[in-house]
Amino acid sequence: MITLPSIVGAVKINTVAGTLTFGDTLNVAPKSVSKTFSGAGGFSTGDFHIENNLFSVTNTYDADINDANNAFNN
């Protein structure tokens, strides 16, 4: 058996929309995939931040057919 040591410091969790794993992880295989588009400052994290966006345009065009295929992860 292989032991994977990990050191976890202070942790603050605001929201979990999936799986949260602490400790040893040898193989991570996602069961679902999604694509999200957001403008400037849309996914800002932290306790205190200031967003100054005069103009924001999000390009949602994607020429790829498959970006993150997970057919073999089930």
Side-chain angles (χ1 to χ4, degrees):
M1 181 162 84
I2 299 173
T3 304
L4 301 174
S6 63
I7 298 172
V8 178
V11 176
K12 179 181 178 185
I13 301 171
N14 291 328
T15 302
V16 176
T19 303
L20 180 65
T21 304
F22 288 106
D24 297 343
T25 304
L26 180 64
N27 186 8
V28 177
K31 302 300 179 194
S32 65
V33 295
S34 63
K35 182 181 289 190
T36 305
F37 299 101
S38 177
F43 293 117
S44 296
T45 59
D47 291 331
F48 307 104
H49 57 278
I50 298 173
E51 304 290 333
N52 294 317
N53 299 315
L54 180 64
F55 184 72
S56 175
V57 175
T58 302
N59 183 7
T60 60
Y61 174 73
D62 187 14
D64 297 343
I65 301 297
N66 294 324
D67 286 332
N69 194 352
N70 69 336
F72 298 109
N73 289 344
N74 295 323

